[in-house]
Amino acid sequence: MIELRGLTKRFGANTVLDGIDLDIAEGEIVVVIGPSGTGKSTLLRCFNLLERPDAGRLTIDGLTLDLAHCDRRQALALRRRTAFVFQNYALFANKNALDNIAERLIIVDRLPKREAHARAREILARVGLANRETSYPSSLSGGQQQRIGIGRAMAANAALMLFDEPTSALDPEWVDEVLAVMKDLALARQTMLVVTHEMRFARDLADRVIFMEGGRIVEQGPPSELFTRPADPRTRAFLRKVLPDAEV
């Protein structure tokens, strides 16, 4: 369903992504791991043009784009096929939970307000917040805000959901409630590309784990193989740091 070729991104003289090639099948859950500063978040942001790459060609859900040169109309078409879940929730502070989710349905999909609110209520129930539809972000915990952020992405009904460290800003007691929502999406076979340090999620639910370093894909494979028999010494060194009890 998704084919990325030659993705390159530079910031000045620094090459952050160095010719990334990546295929993702429909319904596949792909998790990206690796040291900080290795280009993982930039990879996600290039998928929906939050960052404009210097080179790269993407095919997703029947749309093929030259990411470095596509126009506004093409960028909007790409964003209708993707949904982004940010580290810092990125909710509208002046809108309640219901309206945060309904906003895209009304503005982008042009649903009538009543229909958009009905759909938003269904999503709030799915993320376990049916009783908080009138709550504003300031009155919600970090975990609740991130679940609404995921709900807003769910409303897009996107071909690909992009998760950029969705639990990194959360206190430990809120991490599990966010991971539970992501697990439900994974079990429903929502196509997902996830950057995370949550190795439990990667081991338990990923179809494929990618290890990145220095702006390149070093190694990839099923978690059962990558976490126990990594082929590259850079992968082994990283896993020993983040999983000190693992035998790699």
Side-chain angles (χ1 to χ4, degrees), residues 26-82:
E26 184 175 0
E28 189 176 20
I29 294 89
V30 179
V31 173
V32 184
I33 63 173
S36 298
T38 199
K40 304 184 303 296
S41 292
T42 304
L43 170 66
L44 292 194
R45 293 173 70 86
C46 286
F47 257 95
N48 71 345
L49 294 175
L50 290 173
E51 295 285 355
R52 176 76 68 162
D54 293 285
R57 187 173 184 85
L58 174 65
T59 297
I60 176 170
D61 198 29
L63 177 71
T64 298
L65 294 176
D66 179 344
L67 293 173
H69 300 105
C70 60
D71 58 25
R72 182 175 180 276
R73 178 185 58 81
Q74 292 171 317
L76 288 173
L78 173 59
R79 287 171 182 152
R80 288 191 178 98
R81 289 164 168 79
T82 60

Side-chain angles (χ1 to χ4, degrees), residues 97-109:
L98 186 72
D99 287 332
N100 259 285
I101 293 175
E103 179 79 2
R104 178 193 171 112
L105 297 169
I106 295 168
I107 301 300
V108 178
D109 299 331

